[in-house]
Amino acid sequence: MSVKFEKLVLAGVGLICGSLALDMRRRKLVKEIIGYGRSESNLKIAKKKGLIDSYFVRPADFPAGVDFLMIGTPVETIVPLTQTFLPRLEKGCIVSDVGSVKGEIVRGMEKILPKHISFVAGHPIAGSEQWGAEAARENLFVRHRCVLTPTKKTDKKALKKIAELWRQVGADVEIMHPDTHDRVLGVISHLPHVLVYALVNALNRTNLKGVDLKTYCAGGFKDFTRIASSRPELWRDICLMNRKALGRSLTDYINYLEQLNRWIRDEKGGLLEKEFARAYDTRAQIP
C-alpha cells in the first residue's frame, strides 16, 4: 500500500514531527509540508533544514487543501489547538498526534471533531531529551514502537492509512486501548521522569558544608538522570494529564521504597539481595 498526502501541516516542528517530516519527504509520502508553531525562530531552522516548505504562526493563516494535520505540541494544547484550526479543516482531512498521553486527548478530540474529519491518536515511542527542529534526524523511528489508540468511533480507512505511514518510516505499529496506553506509559516513561527530577533535586536539598555534590556526579548518575534534561513544561503537562495512572504508579513505588528503607534500617541483607537480584534479572530481559 502506498501512502501519499498532498499537503501536510505539522503543528509543533520538534524532534518527533521534524524527524517524521524528513522521513516522509525522503520516501516521497507527501508533496508539501507546512509548519506551525509559536517560535518563528524554530520554524526558520526547520525550513533551513528542509523539514518544511513554508510555515505560519497565526492559526487564522491555516492553509487550504490540507489533507493531513499532525500535531506535536505539548499534550495540554492538542485539543484546544485543533479546535482553533477546526473552521479551516476540510472534509476528508485526517488529524493525528504524537502525544505521550492518549485517554484525555482521544476523548477531547472525539467531542469536538465532526464526522467528516477523522482522528487517529498515536504515540511513537522514540523520543529523547532533545527538542526543537535542530534535533530532527532521519530514521528516528526505525525498529521503534508506534502505538495507535483507536476507539469504536475511529474511521477504519484513516486508521489503516496512518498505520501504514508509520510502518513506511520504519516503526513497529501496535494497536492499544487509550487507557491501557496511559497505564503502560505511566509506568515505563512518566514515572521514571518524575523520579529522576526528584533525584536530581535531591542534590540541592542535601546540605554538606563546603561540598558541591554536583561536582561528584560520575557516569552512573549522569546516565541515570539524562532525562532530567527534558523540557520541564512538557513533563508538567504530561504528569497532570496522566495524573490518574501516574498517581497509581507513584503510590506503588513509594510503598516499595518504604519497604526497602525498612529492610536497610533493620539490616535485612538477605531480603535486599533477593530484591536486587530480581531487578538484575528483569533488567537483563529488557530488549
Side-chain angles (χ1 to χ4, degrees), residues 137-178:
R137 60 183 183 271
E138 294 181 351
N139 296 318
L140 176 66
F141 311 106
V142 174
R143 291 185 296 276
H144 283 273
R145 204 181 250 112
C146 180
V147 180
L148 301 182
T149 60
T151 70
K152 293 179 180 179
K153 297 181 180 180
T154 305
D155 181 82
K156 292 181 180 179
K157 289 183 179 179
L159 173 62
K160 187 176 181 180
K161 193 168 186 178
I162 295 302
E164 185 60 25
L165 165 64
W166 283 110
R167 290 190 185 100
Q168 290 206 20
V169 298
D172 298 322
V173 175
E174 183 172 341
I175 304 298
M176 189 179 288
H177 188 278

Side-chain angles (χ1 to χ4, degrees), residues 3-57:
V3 174
K4 194 173 184 68
F5 294 96
E6 294 295 320
K7 188 179 291 188
L8 163 64
V9 164
L10 289 179
V13 190
L15 170 65
I16 298 297
C17 283
S19 298
L20 179 61
L22 279 175
D23 286 343
M24 288 182 70
R25 190 183 297 282
R26 188 159 53 95
R27 290 171 170 81
K28 295 181 172 57
L29 301 176
V30 62
K31 286 186 178 180
E32 182 181 3
I33 304 176
I34 303 167
Y36 168 83
R38 296 176 300 173
S39 169
E40 189 169 6
S41 60
N42 183 66
L43 292 169
K44 287 180 178 179
I45 292 172
K47 191 172 186 298
K48 185 177 180 180
K49 286 192 65 174
L51 310 182
I52 57 177
D53 299 299
S54 60
Y55 63 82
F56 63 103
V57 295

Side-chain angles (χ1 to χ4, degrees), residues 1 42 86 91 93 143 159 166 207 223 239 252 260 264:
M1 177 182 176
N42 183 66
L86 196 52
K91 183 178 180 180
C93 179
R143 291 185 296 276
L159 173 62
W166 283 110
N207 185 19
D223 291 343
C239 288
D252 290 344
L260 291 177
I264 293 170

Side-chain angles (χ1 to χ4, degrees), residues 30-235:
V30 62
K31 286 186 178 180
E32 182 181 3
I33 304 176
I34 303 167
Y36 168 83
R38 296 176 300 173
S39 169
E40 189 169 6
S41 60
N42 183 66
L43 292 169
K44 287 180 178 179
I45 292 172
K47 191 172 186 298
K48 185 177 180 180
K49 286 192 65 174
L51 310 182
I52 57 177
D53 299 299
S54 60
Y55 63 82
F56 63 103
V57 295
R58 298 190 314 155
D61 294 331
F62 192 95
V66 173
D67 58 347
F68 185 21
L69 167 61
M70 174 62 86
I71 305 180
T73 58
V75 291
E76 291 280 359
T77 69
I78 289 173
V79 176
L81 182 60
T82 304
Q83 194 157 24
T84 302
F85 290 151
L86 196 52
R88 304 282 294 173
L89 295 182
E90 299 177 20
K91 183 178 180 180
C93 179
I94 297 176
V95 180
S96 190
D97 78 309
V98 294
S100 70
V101 182
K102 296 270 71 85
E104 280 198 34
I105 290 173
V106 168
R107 288 185 282 273
M109 293 292 254
E110 289 185 344
K111 284 181 181 178
I112 67 167
L113 289 177
K115 290 184 178 181
H116 63 268
I117 303 294
S118 301
F119 176 62
V120 180
H123 178 211
I125 306 177
S128 77
E129 74 280 8
Q130 299 175 317
W131 68 79
E134 198 66 60
R137 60 183 183 271
E138 294 181 351
N139 296 318
L140 176 66
F141 311 106
V142 174
R143 291 185 296 276
H144 283 273
R145 204 181 250 112
C146 180
V147 180
L148 301 182
T149 60
T151 70
K152 293 179 180 179
K153 297 181 180 180
T154 305
D155 181 82
K156 292 181 180 179
K157 289 183 179 179
L159 173 62
K160 187 176 181 180
K161 193 168 186 178
I162 295 302
E164 185 60 25
L165 165 64
W166 283 110
R167 290 190 185 100
Q168 290 206 20
V169 298
D172 298 322
V173 175
E174 183 172 341
I175 304 298
M176 189 179 288
H177 188 278
D179 293 330
T180 302
H181 167 278
D182 290 351
R183 184 72 177 109
V184 170
L185 270 291
V187 176
I188 60 98
S189 176
H190 305 166
L191 176 63
H193 275 80
V194 171
L195 301 183
V196 165
Y197 283 128
L199 179 60
V200 172
N201 285 336
L203 297 179
N204 297 322
R205 294 195 304 271
T206 303
N207 185 19
L208 293 175
K209 189 175 181 180
V211 177
D212 183 357
L213 290 175
K214 294 187 292 295
T215 65
Y216 289 84
C217 294
F221 189 92
K222 291 179 180 178
D223 291 343
F224 182 63
T225 60
R226 172 187 56 81
I227 56 176
S229 298
S230 303
R231 291 173 64 182
E233 69 275 18
L234 295 184
W235 283 95

